[in-house]
Amino acid sequence: MRKRKIIALLLLIIGLALSAAFLMRIEFPKGFETYFKREYYNQFGPLAISIELLIASYYLFIGHKKTNFTLALFGFTALLDPLFNQLGLFNSIVPLYGTILLSICAMLCLWLAFTNLYKLKRLSRFAAFFSVILGVFVELFFNFLQ
């Protein structure tokens, strides 16, 4: 239990730092009509990924029964961003430091989710598939129509 809380706190600190960094990069428009343009909402993509990390690490900290699902959801979303960028689907706006940190955290989270190391609710095949699909939807929502 102590190792689980230490890992959760480390992920929580990384998630808070990245959330703050990504929030500071968001440009808020001056005119009212700019809030209804797609370019405004696209810049929230990196923040959404870091918030997924915050939720997953909080669930890991408290030992919630949905921990493995949220870890898998974050892991797939964070790894799909650089994958889709390399495939040429879109140009990711996540900075390089964010991509590196999120990818490392994503691999750790996927390992934790699929090994069920802390004996939380085991991730079913359906839940794993659903986390991949949700990760794809998150990525495409924030990046596809630029």
Side-chain angles (χ1 to χ4, degrees):
M1 181 159 117
R2 184 174 167 90
K3 287 182 185 178
R4 176 178 55 91
K5 289 194 175 194
I6 290 172
I7 291 172
L9 279 175
L10 180 64
L11 290 173
L12 194 62
I13 290 168
I14 292 170
L16 282 171
L18 288 176
S19 294
F22 295 153
L23 186 63
M24 291 170 46
R25 292 177 53 114
I26 293 175
E27 296 177 17
F28 294 97
K30 299 206 186 322
F32 183 70
E33 66 279 348
T34 315
Y35 283 100
F36 298 105
K37 297 198 179 197
R38 183 83 180 150
E39 296 82 28
Y40 173 69
Y41 295 103
N42 287 346
Q43 59 185 339
F44 286 94
L47 183 62
I49 298 171
S50 62
I51 289 174
E52 282 182 4
L53 175 59
L54 285 174
I55 293 169
S57 60
Y58 174 71
Y59 275 10
L60 182 61
F61 185 79
I62 65 171
H64 194 274
K65 65 180 182 175
K66 300 282 184 182
T67 299
N68 288 331
F69 176 75
T70 57
L71 288 170
L73 176 61
F74 160 72
F76 286 124
T77 305
L79 289 178
L80 285 171
D81 189 71
L83 177 69
F84 287 167
N85 187 29
Q86 287 298 316
L87 291 176
L89 239 67
F90 56 79
N91 292 325
S92 176
I93 61 169
V94 179
L96 182 61
Y97 68 88
T99 301
I100 293 169
L101 280 173
L102 289 172
S103 296
I104 292 168
C105 291
M107 288 186 280
L108 173 66
C109 288
L110 285 174
W111 178 72
L112 289 173
F114 284 104
T115 60
N116 195 20
L117 186 66
Y118 297 113
K119 306 296 184 236
L120 301 167
K121 185 179 177 192
R122 187 162 179 81
L123 192 64
S124 68
R125 290 180 190 198
F126 176 75
F129 179 73
F130 191 59
S131 65
V132 172
I133 297 301
L134 278 177
V136 169
F137 280 144
V138 168
E139 282 303 310
L140 293 181
F141 177 77
F142 286 109
N143 294 305
F144 193 70
L145 298 173
Q146 289 186 358

